[in-house]
């Protein structure tokens, strides 16, 4: 080959190689700079961390989810490991995860947090999200290692409980955002704000409060506020059905409310179809309930961000291109950085600075700077939480929010606006004179343990009402309200520890457990062995009476013995000639339900009513709840024809109640009351009544339900108790216990007990009796059964509490 040609080729190759490596180097440097900017390696107010070269002087424990449910939080933890090093290798961070099934495995969460505290160098523990078990672990850690800072984010437990054991609680600000979102919507051009949710979500205090604030803010800002009730993704229609409803209904909403309408929804799974429809049909979407670039946007606009997870600036850039291309620029927004990622990193940084003595734990400005540091370009703001009802500022609870980023428009500057104080103090009321007097005069504490709003909302609401009247211990009031785990059947030991732990408070004088789930008996045994002065009251026991009664001052449940006679009695007075009892073999295997069945059958024979048992599918069987309900709806016309219009129907299962109500309304007959009577039992579902904004307002709920029943033609034929037993049982027992320790009542004063129930159910009457052993004929003086007067829609109360019940029914087996 010609020598000149060889030289020329060599020169070209050299130039190419120089260009190639230089270009790659520049690209790598650019990518690294962008990654560091995203990770917040540089920033104001706090020192830039370096990966330690020597053994770290102390350790920081971080707990997050494992990625299946909280990927953003996990990414923050991984970034912390990069910046500060793994403690196992001489660095600072020890990272553990709570289990994916944290709702049913609280014990693992507790154990892993306590293991972190076992590290002698541990000085800070950060939990994001603070799932069930965090408070219990923090309580133990504070007792054994008071030198450790306990920091919690996005709390899943009762705020009063977690704040009592954590040095700092933070999370997404839901009060100020109730004002900020409508304000941003108005600035974008919206004239109407449509709030989309469903009854279950409106039972959660934070979501309900935010909705109320949005409505008030819209009124103040001149926007029209509309609440749209949509299917619950956990309901019969499922996630796909709930999403389909949004897609099918959205064009009607735009037609009804106009294109200058902003939409907001409380559910993550419904965000995706809402984004899709806003982009396609019109309107505005300011931000999600839990704002993040990953919340719905990648799926809605077909953007693959899997290779960019954690690189928020790149994700925003890709999404912005897609949103603008779809014609939705200037109409849709988000937070530019995930709060889960930023909060994990910021709390690690903040805890480090506090431990090093560089800032105070109360320095919220530095906390905001730490958040800003890990979200380059985004601004943050926040507020302390003012706890209702007294309005006391909780100095260790600080909620934060990020500036809103509108695709195709940029940041809106919402963190710079002055949010009127009334919005982030919404729900706060002045401490009542009664509460103040009680606090000063008695110096007592009352513990209440219930389930949460997802499984036992009525019991839970009763606890909230008692707290509202007398204030929480954390606010200087009387009440400490704790929540047992939803998976209480598998967490008996945790329930025992939770209840027994109340006795550690030297001012604790009354403990009420409603419902008294497994673990209660052992807890009461422990309490009585240590603190016999504490009055222990148990409602609706799940364990055997022989286990609970020896350690409870009073056990109280629904009087199904008296009701076994009263329900047929009232049915006859309404005109019924036949009594159809609907159940299945599993329920008939329960002693109390079988005994109720026998009493009803005996009562019908006594009263001259034909008694007919009918079997329906068990909702826990292969056909499920939907199949069991469908069976009732399909067979009811046959029953109506077979037994005639003078027939009363009673079912032992909650899932059967709504379809039975629908059948009675449409085909005739009577329905005196449910197995667990309440205006919420079956009626809202059967007659499509939205009571989401009336939760706890029983007269308001009754009024709405009654209107629907009369419209459906059920007047004079369908009834209920006007107040939930669970609600009255929680609050009434706590009221009774309070009067006992104050000296105005004694444990045997059952008339005072019923008066306490009537305090929380104005207009309704109660009656009751001690449980009588059907064999010995002796009454148990610490086991009391209660029942409420029955209310027939369109007719009124039946005066059932005044009916004399023949003594022989006390002995029916």
């Amino acid at each position: 080959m010609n020598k000149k040609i060889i030289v020329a080729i060599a020169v070209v190759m050299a130039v190419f190689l120089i260009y190639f490596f230089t270009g790659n180097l520049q690209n790598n440097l650019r990518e690294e700079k962008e990654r560091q900017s995203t990770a917040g390696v540089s920033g104001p107010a706090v020192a830039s961390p370096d990966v330690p070269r020597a053994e770290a002087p102390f350790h920081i424990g971080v707990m997050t989810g494992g990625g299946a449910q909280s990927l953003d939080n996990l990414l923050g933890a991984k970034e912390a490991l990069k910046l500060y090093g793994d403690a196992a290798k001489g660095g600072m961070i020890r990272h553990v995860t709570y289990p994916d099934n944290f709702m049913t495995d609280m014990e693992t969460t507790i154990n892993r947090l306590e293991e972190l505290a076992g590290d002698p160098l541990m000085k800070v523990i950060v939990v994001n999200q603070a799932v069930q078990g965090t408070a219990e672990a923090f309580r133990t850690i504070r007792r054994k290692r008071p030198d450790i800072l306990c920091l919690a984010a996005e709390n899943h437990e009762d705020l009063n409980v977690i704040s009592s054991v954590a040095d700092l609680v933070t999370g997404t600000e839901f009060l100020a955002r109730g004002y900020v979102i409508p304000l941003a919507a108005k600035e974008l051009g919206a004239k109407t704000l449509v709030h989309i949710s469903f009854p279950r979500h409106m039972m959660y205090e934070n979501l309900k409060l935010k909705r109320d604030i949005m409505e008030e803010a819209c009124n103040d800002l001149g926007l029209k506020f509309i609440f749209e009730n949509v299917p619950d993704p956990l309901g019969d229609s499922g996630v796909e059905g709930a999403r389909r409803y949004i897609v099918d209904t959205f064009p009607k909403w735009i037609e009804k409310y106009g294109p200058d309408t902003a939409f907001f929804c409380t559910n993550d799974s419904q965000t995706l179809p809402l984004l899709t429809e806003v982009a396609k049909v019109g309107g505005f979407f300011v931000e999600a309930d839990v704002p993040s670039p990953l919340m719905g946007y990648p799926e809605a606009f077909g953007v693959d961000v899997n290779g960019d997870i954690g690189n928020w600036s790149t994700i925003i850039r890709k999404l912005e291109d897609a949103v603008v291309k779809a014609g939705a620029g200037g109409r849709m927004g988000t937070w530019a950085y995930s709060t889960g990622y930023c909060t994990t990193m910021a709390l690690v940084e903040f805890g480090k600075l506090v431990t090093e003595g560089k800032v105070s734990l109360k320095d919220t400005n530095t906390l905001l700077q730490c958040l800003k540091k890990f979200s380059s370009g985004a601004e943050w703001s926040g507020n302390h939480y003012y706890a209702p009802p007294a309005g006391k500022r909780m100095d260790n609870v600080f909620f934060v929010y990020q500036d809103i980023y509108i695709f195709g428009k940029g940041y809106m500057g919402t963190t710079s606006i002055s949010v009127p104080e009334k919005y982030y103090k919404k729900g706060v009321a002045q401490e009542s004179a009664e509460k103040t007097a009680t606090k000063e005069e008695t110096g007592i504490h009352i513990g209440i343990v219930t389930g949460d709003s997802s499984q036992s909302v009525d019991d839970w609401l009763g606890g909230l009402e008692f707290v509202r009247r007398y204030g929480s211990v954390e606010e200087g009031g009387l009440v400490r309200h704790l929540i047992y785990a939803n998976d209480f059947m598998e967490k008996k030991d945790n329930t025992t520890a939770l209840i027994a732990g109340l006795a550690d408070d030297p001012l604790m004088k009354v403990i009420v457990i409603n419902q008294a789930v497994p673990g209660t008996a052992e807890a009461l045994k422990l309490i009585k062995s240590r603190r016999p002065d504490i009055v222990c009251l148990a409602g609706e026991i799940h364990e055997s009476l022989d286990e609970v009664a020896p350690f409870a001052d009073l056990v109280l449940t629904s009087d199904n013995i008296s009701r076994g006679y009263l329900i047929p009695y009232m049915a006859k007075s309404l005109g019924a000639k036949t009594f159809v009892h609907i159940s299945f073999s599993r329920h008939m295997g329960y002693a109390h339900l079988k005994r109720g069945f026998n009493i009803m059958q005996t009562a019908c024979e006594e009263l001259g009513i034909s008694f007919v048992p009918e079997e329906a599918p068990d909702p826990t069987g292969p056909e499920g709840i939907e199949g069991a309900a469908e069976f009732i709806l399909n067979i009811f016309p046959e029953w109506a024809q077979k037994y005639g219009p003078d027939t009363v129907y009673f079912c032992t299962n909650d899932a059967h109640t709504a379809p039975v109500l629908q059948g009675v309304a449409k085909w005739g007959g009577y329905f005196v009351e449910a197995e667990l009577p309440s205006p919420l039992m079956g009626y809202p579902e059967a007659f499509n009544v939205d009571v989401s904004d009336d939760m706890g307002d029983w007269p308001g709920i009754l009024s709405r339900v009654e209107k629907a029943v009369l419209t459906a033609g059920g007047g004079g034929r369908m009834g209920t108790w006007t107040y939930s037993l669970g609600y009255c049982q929680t609050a009434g027992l706590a009221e009774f216990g309070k009067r006992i320790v104050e000296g105005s009542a004694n444990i045997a004063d059952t008339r005072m007990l019923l008066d306490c129930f009537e305090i929380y159910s104005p207009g309704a009457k109660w009656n009751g009796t001690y449980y009588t052993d059907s064999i010995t004929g002796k009454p148990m003086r610490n086991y009391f059964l209660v029942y409420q007067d029955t209310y027939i829609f369109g007719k009124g109360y039946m005066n059932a509490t005044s009916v004399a019940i023949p003594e022989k029914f006390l002995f029916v087996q």
Side-chain angles (χ1 to χ4, degrees):
M1 183 180 291
N2 189 293
K3 187 176 181 180
K4 290 183 179 180
I5 295 175
I6 294 173
V7 171
I9 292 173
V11 170
V12 170
M13 289 181 65
V15 171
F16 171 77
L17 290 172
I18 292 171
Y19 176 82
F20 176 80
F21 286 114
T22 303
N24 272 355
L25 178 61
Q26 289 175 340
N27 287 337
N28 289 339
L29 289 172
R30 186 183 301 113
E31 289 173 1
E32 178 61 17
K33 182 178 180 181
E34 189 172 84
R35 187 197 67 78
Q36 290 182 352
S37 175
T38 302
V41 172
S42 63
V46 286
S48 299
D50 294 315
V51 177
R53 294 183 173 84
E55 185 75 23
F58 59 88
H59 292 163
I60 298 176
V62 181
M63 172 176 272
T64 67
Q69 298 190 44
S70 52
L71 176 60
D72 297 355
N73 305 341
L74 175 65
L75 290 172
K78 289 185 174 181
E79 190 64 28
L81 281 165
K82 290 181 184 177
L83 293 177
Y84 304 118
D86 190 331
K89 300 176 182 179
M92 188 170 283
I93 305 298
R94 289 193 183 278
H95 177 225
V96 297
T97 60
Y98 52 76
D100 289 339
N101 59 331
F102 57 83
M103 292 291 288
T104 57
D105 191 10
M106 186 168 70
E107 187 174 351
T108 297
T109 298
I110 294 172
N111 289 341
R112 289 177 183 174
L113 285 173
E114 291 180 353
E115 286 171 9
L116 286 177
D119 177 352
L121 289 180
M122 190 61 61
K123 292 296 181 183
V124 182
I125 293 180
V126 173
V127 183
N128 188 20
Q129 305 167 0
V131 298
Q132 283 79 2
T134 302
E136 184 64 29
F138 276 5
R139 184 177 289 109
T140 301
I141 291 168
R142 289 180 71 87
R143 186 170 64 249
K144 294 181 178 179
R145 290 286 307 277
D147 58 310
I148 293 179
L149 279 178
C150 295
L151 312 180
E154 301 302 336
N155 175 50
H156 283 222
E157 300 188 287
D158 182 272
L159 182 59
N160 288 325
V161 174
I162 191 73
S163 64
S164 69
V165 293
D167 293 285
L168 177 67
V169 179
T170 189
T172 304
E173 166 58 280
F174 63 93
L175 296 168
R177 287 177 63 222
Y179 173 77
V180 168
I181 291 172
L183 179 65
K186 182 178 181 180
E187 289 186 6
L188 292 177
K191 297 178 181 177
T192 301
L193 176 63
V194 173
H195 183 287
I196 301 166
S197 192
F198 37 85
R200 179 174 60 86
H201 264 192
M202 290 299 96
M203 292 177 187
Y204 298 143
E205 182 181 9
N206 60 335
L207 294 178
K208 175 66 165 58
L209 267 178
K210 185 157 63 178
R211 196 211 80 143
D212 292 345
I213 294 170
M214 284 184 172
E215 183 172 12
E216 185 174 344
C218 284
N219 292 334
D220 291 346
L221 294 168
L223 294 178
K224 186 177 181 181
F225 179 86
I226 304 292
F227 179 80
E228 284 287 355
N229 189 40
V230 300
D232 186 338
L234 296 184
D236 293 339
S237 62
V239 172
E240 289 307 314
R243 286 179 169 177
R244 174 53 53 187
Y245 180 89
I246 299 291
V247 173
D248 293 342
T249 310
F250 194 88
K252 300 174 185 177
W253 286 339
I254 287 293
E255 183 179 356
K256 184 176 181 180
Y257 304 123
D260 46 6
T261 299
F263 295 88
F264 175 85
C265 67
T266 63
N267 184 262
D268 296 350
S269 65
Q270 289 167 327
T271 300
L272 171 59
L274 194 58
L275 291 172
T276 303
E277 294 307 302
V278 167
K280 183 170 63 174
V281 183
F284 302 92
F285 183 91
V286 176
E287 64 183 25
D289 186 61
V290 182
S292 165
L294 301 179
M295 182 55 70
Y297 279 105
E299 299 91 337
F301 294 95
V303 180
D304 181 6
V305 296
N306 289 328
D308 301 305
I309 297 300
N311 192 338
W312 304 105
S313 58
T314 299
I315 292 173
I316 280 288
R317 192 162 56 247
K318 285 187 174 183
L319 292 175
E320 188 157 37
D321 290 344
V323 170
V324 172
K325 184 178 180 180
R331 296 192 289 118
M332 308 180 79
T334 183
W335 288 3
Y337 292 81
S338 157
T339 185
Y341 171 85
C342 296
T343 302
T344 301
M345 289 297 300
L347 285 180
V348 168
E349 176 77 4
F350 185 65
K352 175 175 175 290
L353 293 172
V354 173
T355 301
E356 292 170 344
K358 295 179 180 178
V359 300
S360 162
L361 185 62
K362 295 182 179 180
D363 188 351
T364 54
N365 284 331
T366 296
L367 175 61
L368 292 174
Q369 288 297 328
C370 289
L371 285 165
K372 183 178 178 180
K373 175 179 179 178
F374 298 106
S375 54
S376 180
E379 297 291 339
W380 293 79
S381 187
N383 297 299
H384 282 286
Y385 184 68
Y386 290 79
K392 180 182 178 182
R393 176 172 132 159
M394 299 178 74
D395 286 333
N396 69 331
V397 180
F398 190 72
F399 292 145
V400 298
Y401 59 101
Q402 190 182 139
D403 195 5
I404 300 169
Y405 185 89
I406 302 296
F407 294 110
K409 184 179 177 73
Y411 288 108
M412 294 200 69
T414 49
T415 51
S416 300
I417 65 171
S418 178
V419 177
E421 188 179 78
K422 69 174 183 176
Y423 292 115
Y424 60 83
K425 289 188 176 181
K426 183 74 173 177
V428 167
Q430 292 301 312
E431 190 172 12
S432 68
E434 177 185 12
K435 172 185 158 185
T436 303
T438 303
K439 179 175 61 175
E440 293 175 352
E441 292 167 9
T442 64
I444 64 170
H445 289 167
I446 298 171
I448 295 176
V449 182
T450 69
D452 66 12
S453 60
S454 65
Q455 288 199 27
S456 48
V457 62
D458 296 356
D459 310 342
W460 177 72
L461 286 170
L464 292 188
E465 175 59 23
F466 197 75
V467 171
R468 188 191 69 79
R469 292 194 181 213
Y470 297 110
S472 71
V473 168
E474 291 75 20
E475 302 165 24
L478 303 186
V479 191
R480 191 181 296 280
H481 184 193
L482 304 182
I483 309 296
Y484 55 72
N486 285 333
D487 57 329
F488 55 81
M489 292 298 292
E490 290 78 34
K491 294 294 180 289
K492 180 178 176 179
D493 291 344
N494 290 337
T495 300
T496 297
L498 183 73
I499 298 170
L502 286 169
D504 294 338
D505 179 353
L507 292 180
M508 191 62 61
K509 295 296 181 182
V510 180
I511 295 177
V512 175
I513 309 101
N514 187 36
Q515 301 171 22
V517 296
T520 297
E522 182 62 24
L524 295 183
K525 181 180 179 180
L526 291 170
I527 291 168
K528 284 299 186 181
S529 68
R530 296 166 48 209
R531 293 284 307 278
D533 60 306
I534 293 179
V535 177
C536 296
L537 310 174
E540 299 303 324
I541 58 175
H542 287 222
E543 297 169 299
S544 73
L545 185 60
D546 291 341
E547 291 178 289
V548 181
F551 309 106
D553 292 282
L554 184 68
V555 174
L556 188 142
T557 63
S558 172
D559 188 353
N560 289 326
I561 296 174
S562 297
R563 290 177 64 219
Y565 174 81
L566 287 170
I567 293 173
Y569 177 90
M570 287 183 284
K572 182 177 180 179
S573 69
L574 291 174
K577 297 177 182 177
T578 302
F579 191 103
V580 174
H581 183 283
I582 305 165
S583 191
F584 40 86
S585 57
R586 179 172 62 87
H587 264 195
M588 289 298 93
Y590 296 154
H592 68 288
L593 291 177
K594 180 61 177 177
R595 188 177 184 187
F597 173 92
N598 292 338
I599 294 172
M600 287 181 177
Q601 186 174 29
T602 304
C604 285
E605 292 171 0
E606 179 92 4
L607 295 165
I609 301 174
S610 176
F611 182 86
V612 180
E614 285 284 2
E615 184 162 345
D618 185 339
T620 65
E623 296 177 358
I625 291 175
E626 186 175 343
E630 191 66 28
F631 174 88
I632 299 291
L633 291 174
N634 290 337
I635 202 171
F636 207 94
E638 180 182 323
W639 285 346
Q641 184 177 5
K642 183 177 181 181
Y643 301 120
D646 301 328
T647 300
V648 66
Y649 297 87
F650 176 84
C651 57
T652 64
N653 185 261
D654 297 352
H656 291 155
T657 302
V660 167
L661 290 172
Q662 290 173 325
V664 169
K666 184 175 182 180
W667 299 101
Y670 301 92
F671 183 92
V672 174
E673 63 190 31
E675 167 70 18
L676 297 173
S678 163
L680 297 177
M681 180 52 71
Y683 282 105
E685 180 184 353
F687 300 108
N688 195 28
V689 183
D690 180 10
V691 295
S692 58
D693 56 351
D694 281 330
M695 295 310 298
D697 177 12
W698 301 102
I701 292 171
L702 185 72
S703 176
R704 290 193 182 189
V705 170
E706 184 160 36
K707 182 179 178 181
V709 170
L710 295 181
T711 300
R717 299 190 291 118
M718 309 177 81
T720 182
W721 289 2
T722 55
Y723 293 81
S724 155
L725 172 63
Y727 172 85
C728 297
Q729 203 164 36
T730 300
L733 280 175
E735 186 74 37
F736 185 53
K738 174 177 172 290
R739 296 187 181 198
I740 290 172
V741 297
E742 289 174 343
S744 61
N746 63 66
I747 197 69
D749 190 348
T750 57
R751 184 59 258 173
M752 177 67 81
L753 171 62
L754 295 174
D755 286 345
C756 289
F757 272 61
E758 290 176 8
I759 288 172
Y760 295 92
S761 55
K765 296 296 182 183
W766 293 81
N767 203 349
T769 183
Y770 285 114
Y771 175 80
T772 299
D773 188 285
S774 61
I775 298 175
T776 66
K778 293 182 179 181
M780 287 187 64
R781 294 299 176 183
N782 70 333
Y783 185 17
F784 196 69
L785 311 177
V786 298
Y787 60 96
Q788 186 186 142
D789 196 3
T790 301
Y791 182 91
I792 301 297
F793 294 110
K795 182 179 178 71
Y797 287 107
M798 296 287 287
N799 295 316
T801 50
S802 300
V803 175
I805 299 169
E807 187 177 4
K808 74 175 187 177
F809 289 97
L810 300 176
F811 301 100
V812 174
Q813 286 290 322

